[in-house]
Amino acid sequence: MRKGLMRPGHVQIRVLDAEAALKHYRDLVGLIETDRDEQGRIYLKAWTEVDKFSLVLNPSDEPGMDFMGFKVVDEATLVQLEQDLLAWGCPVEHIPAGELRGCGRRIRFVAPSGHTFELYAEKEYTGKWGVTEVNPEAWPMDLKGMRAVRFDHCLMYGDELAATYDLFVNVLGFYLAEQVLDENGDRIAQFLSISTKAHDVAFIMHPEKGKFHHASFFLETWEDVLRAADLISMTDTSIDIGPTRHGLTHGKTIYFFDPSGNRNEVFCGGDYNYPDHKPVTWAAADLGKAIFYHDRQLNERFLTVLT
Ligand SMILES: [Fe+2]
């Protein structure tokens, strides 16, 4: 939490059919609908999250990610980070409080990779869903589908990884948890964290800016990942790959698509980091094993299907 960023707070995803998307994220992934707004956007959260929403579905003509937001500890941090972004040469846009219902003002900027990010300090505290604050039970009994625990991270595809690294590490306070280096020693993948998690956001080198690879939700156990795979088949949901394990981060994972073609991941496990850990490095020559630890080869769809 160096420089005051706490966690990934939300992601707004464009969807072609709002009701089909809601059915996917609510009934299959297991998120909880918390609000809607006059733009037709639908707000959802995972049950352990204490703020009002972490996923916003935005009805649109094409799929993809509008923006990913990080929550900072307080307003003073937001003010400081805006100055730091400007000093680095990154213009910012001010989004007023309430533009997303229940969210305070947001500072929006575009990373050199072409992706839009936001920082905010305030969001309506709703507490964990379905459990009490005093003597809480282990989990709510009426969770649906995969029973996602939390929104965890996003993976972006884009160019200018070095400048994006500089911005995220030196301005925003992320650290490099894991990387893939090509034969020249150039970084072609960077997994960045602001917590003890294996990653909070990741970037993979791609010639086109601003592409979205996946939004990921955390599950508790490998059994939950296998159960997610069953649910994907039961609902005839488009599957990408898995269940399998990543080399990078060592998470146990499955990938699938929402009805608009946006990729989702649910996963469990994965490595952890403390400030004295050194970054883990994978060689690009071993990228197959780095991405899919068991098959040790990439599937073309994983590399090329982006929104
Ligand atoms: Fe992921």
Side-chain angles (χ1 to χ4, degrees):
M1 209 175 70
R2 305 160 205 182
K3 305 225 179 172
L5 269 73
M6 279 195 291
R7 61 170 176 265
H10 56 239
V11 60
Q12 180 168 305
I13 293 176
R14 295 188 296 273
V15 296
L16 307 179
D17 178 334
E19 287 306 316
L22 175 62
K23 194 167 174 344
H24 173 89
Y25 287 101
R26 181 192 59 198
D27 299 347
L28 179 62
V29 181
L31 304 180
I32 295 114
E33 181 183 348
T34 58
D35 208 349
R36 295 186 183 210
D37 66 22
E38 58 287 345
Q39 294 180 43
R41 293 183 296 187
I42 302 173
Y43 298 55
L44 301 109
K45 66 180 277 179
W47 77 269
T48 69
E49 292 168 342
V50 296
D51 285 348
K52 178 174 176 175
F53 63 87
S54 59
L55 174 66
V56 181
L57 303 175
N58 183 24
S60 183
D61 294 334
E62 54 173 0
M65 184 194 77
D66 285 330
F67 51 79
M68 180 182 183
F70 294 94
K71 191 177 188 186
V72 307
V73 289
D74 55 23
E75 173 67 22
T77 301
L78 197 59
V79 170
Q80 182 62 52
L81 286 169
E82 175 179 2
Q83 294 309 312
D84 295 346
L85 282 162
L86 292 171
W88 188 83
C90 183
V92 302
E93 185 185 350
H94 292 154
I95 313 296
E99 195 278 336
L100 279 169
R101 289 167 61 94
C103 189
R105 75 184 189 99
R106 290 128 66 200
I107 301 294
R108 182 179 288 177
F109 60 96
V110 179
S113 63
H115 301 92
T116 300
F117 292 96
E118 301 181 341
L119 306 174
Y120 66 95
E122 302 288 339
K123 192 181 282 181
E124 183 183 337
Y125 190 97
T126 51
K128 293 179 183 179
W129 183 85
V131 292
T132 50
E133 286 199 344
V134 178
N135 296 345
E137 301 298 349
W139 34 265
M141 284 204 285
D142 40 2
L143 292 171
K144 291 182 176 175
M146 299 175 186
R147 306 183 291 219
V149 172
R150 65 166 186 261
F151 165 51
D152 190 86
H153 64 269
C154 290
L155 174 60
M156 320 290 188
Y157 273 42
D159 67 356
E160 296 202 51
L161 287 204
T164 302
Y165 175 92
D166 186 36
L167 180 69
F168 272 72
V169 171
N170 296 317
V171 178
L172 300 175
F174 286 74
Y175 65 87
L176 181 67
E178 209 147 339
Q179 62 183 345
V180 180
L181 300 180
D182 69 13
E183 60 277 9
N184 302 316
D186 291 326
R187 198 178 293 118
I188 60 167
Q190 49 203 24
F191 286 60
L192 306 174
S193 182
I194 41 167
S195 61
T196 58
K197 287 161 52 190
H199 53 334
D200 288 300
V201 66
F203 297 89
I204 289 185
M205 184 66 92
H206 182 72
E208 192 179 351
K209 283 186 188 294
K211 302 305 285 183
F212 179 55
H213 191 272
H214 68 262
S216 184
F217 301 89
F218 185 78
L219 305 183
E220 270 195 353
T221 67
W222 176 232
E223 197 69 30
D224 290 330
V225 177
L226 298 182
R227 191 173 164 281
D230 290 340
L231 287 163
I232 287 167
S233 279
M234 282 180 199
T235 53
D236 270 327
T237 298
S238 175
I239 189 166
D240 186 9
I241 194 161
T244 184
R245 182 193 282 278
H246 288 303
L248 283 149
T249 75
H250 294 135
K252 288 155 278 188
T253 178
I254 186 165
Y255 289 92
F256 52 102
F257 295 96
D258 78 6
S260 305
N262 295 299
R263 189 185 279 95
N264 298 157
E265 175 186 36
V266 291
F267 78 106
C268 71
D271 296 328
Y272 63 89
N273 296 298
Y274 284 104
D276 58 343
H277 290 203
K278 292 179 181 173
V280 170
T281 299
W282 290 83
D286 299 314
L287 196 60
K289 189 173 184 178
I291 305 241
F292 300 123
Y293 188 69
H294 298 153
D295 284 355
R296 283 160 279 151
Q297 52 190 354
L298 292 166
N299 77 358
E300 189 61 20
R301 190 172 52 231
F302 192 82
L303 293 181
T304 56
V305 176
L306 306 166
T307 57

